[in-house]
Amino acid sequence: MRTRAEKVPGGWRINGRKVWTTNAHRCDFMIALLRTGPAQDPKARHQGLSQFLVDCRLSGISIRPILDLVGEEGFNEITFDDVFVPDSMLVGTEGQGWEQATAELAFERAGPERYLSSLPLLTEALDDLRAEPAAPEAVGRLLARAGTLRQMSLAVAGMLQDGKTPAREAALVKDAGNDYEQALPEKLRTLIDPARTPPQVQEMLGLMTMVARSYSLRGGTREILRGIIARQLGLR
């Protein structure tokens, strides 16, 4: 939140840096949450923020890839050096950027991509798991959890459609969904016999084991999510 947009004639001048911007090297535009004013309350750092639609091809923008554990460039670091954006690129209302971002995050955190990322591994391995004695119960539990998470996700989608801002509920779905996404490859690793498993399943399992570590980071860390839940329950 230290990246600033300073008001200048006709628009805003951006300076600072954004890290972990997904697919920035492929995008023409991004929505940036920037500091446009001071926080009136030192304990409320979310005040004084605004959102802007930024053309990633503008002069003064540099994009550097961040390699992940499997060597992919999904994340990026973006540096802004005196980047000018016109007033028309302000998204929503000046100073209301945090409230807007919170509403947007409810869509992201409770969406199916927050609990289904590991499920393709299970569907790919099902045929080979039939011969494993411990597999039926374990697979049944995994599928039951997926069904429960689906209902939770749909419930949040319904709240959003009704115009509500279910920050706590979305955080709960993501936290529970991340636990599921990380537990699935770990559980299958104890069930799959490498001697009888096709190479494509072994390759998927190896990839998921590495990539699943990031699932509790994207869209808000587990600590941030549980802080949101605790605050809305009056526990902090």
Side-chain angles (χ1 to χ4, degrees):
M1 297 296 96
R2 291 191 295 267
T3 302
R4 292 185 174 274
E6 180 185 2
K7 191 71 180 75
V8 296
W12 302 79
R13 189 76 62 184
I14 305 174
N15 283 283
R17 182 179 60 170
K18 290 290 184 182
V19 184
W20 308 115
T21 307
T22 307
N23 289 327
H25 60 304
R26 297 193 181 104
C27 294
D28 294 326
F29 289 87
M30 69 177 290
I31 295 180
L33 183 63
L34 308 171
R35 180 158 297 285
T36 53
Q40 302 301 319
D41 181 353
K43 296 182 179 180
R45 290 175 293 175
H46 60 280
Q47 296 176 349
L49 301 174
S50 305
Q51 287 183 314
F52 292 86
L53 187 62
V54 181
D55 189 336
C56 294
R57 298 159 294 185
L58 288 173
S59 174
I61 292 181
S62 59
I63 300 174
R64 183 179 69 86
I66 300 173
L67 294 178
D68 61 20
L69 186 64
V70 295
E72 296 180 348
E73 299 179 0
F75 297 115
N76 296 266
E77 175 188 70
I78 299 183
T79 302
F80 302 88
D81 185 9
D82 278 341
V83 177
F84 174 80
V85 294
D87 286 323
S88 60
M89 289 302 190
L90 174 68
V91 178
T93 304
E94 180 184 343
Q96 297 297 310
W98 183 254
E99 289 77 6
Q100 294 169 195
T102 301
E104 294 156 7
L105 282 169
F107 282 95
E108 177 183 354
R109 288 172 173 164
E113 71 275 15
R114 290 298 177 256
Y115 65 91
L116 291 178
S117 300
S118 298
L119 200 63
L121 172 62
L122 179 59
T123 57
E124 186 71 23
L126 274 178
D127 287 340
D128 302 290
L129 287 171
R130 297 181 194 279
E132 307 298 334
E137 180 182 350
V139 170
R141 290 183 180 277
L142 288 171
L143 291 175
R145 287 181 67 183
T148 301
L149 286 164
R150 180 176 184 273
Q151 293 301 315
M152 293 170 66
S153 176
L154 288 172
V156 174
M159 296 173 73
L160 289 165
Q161 189 173 31
D162 291 339
K164 300 176 183 178
T165 306
R168 178 183 62 191
E169 293 83 353
L172 281 165
V173 173
K174 184 180 185 298
D175 190 27
N178 289 163
D179 282 343
Y180 176 72
E181 290 180 316
Q182 292 176 339
L184 193 151
E186 290 298 320
K187 172 56 71 174
L188 292 191
R189 198 157 54 86
T190 67
L191 297 174
I192 289 176
D193 184 352
R196 298 200 300 265
T197 304
Q200 67 268 24
V201 175
Q202 295 185 44
E203 183 179 355
M204 285 185 68
L205 178 58
L207 179 64
M208 285 293 182
T209 300
M210 291 188 290
V211 173
R213 306 300 179 192
S214 69
Y215 292 162
S216 54
L217 296 174
R218 62 187 189 183
T221 66
R222 184 172 281 122
E223 293 78 9
I224 291 292
L225 295 173
R226 292 178 181 177
I228 293 171
I229 296 166
R231 185 180 300 111
Q232 298 227 349
L233 290 175
L235 301 177
R236 56 172 294 193

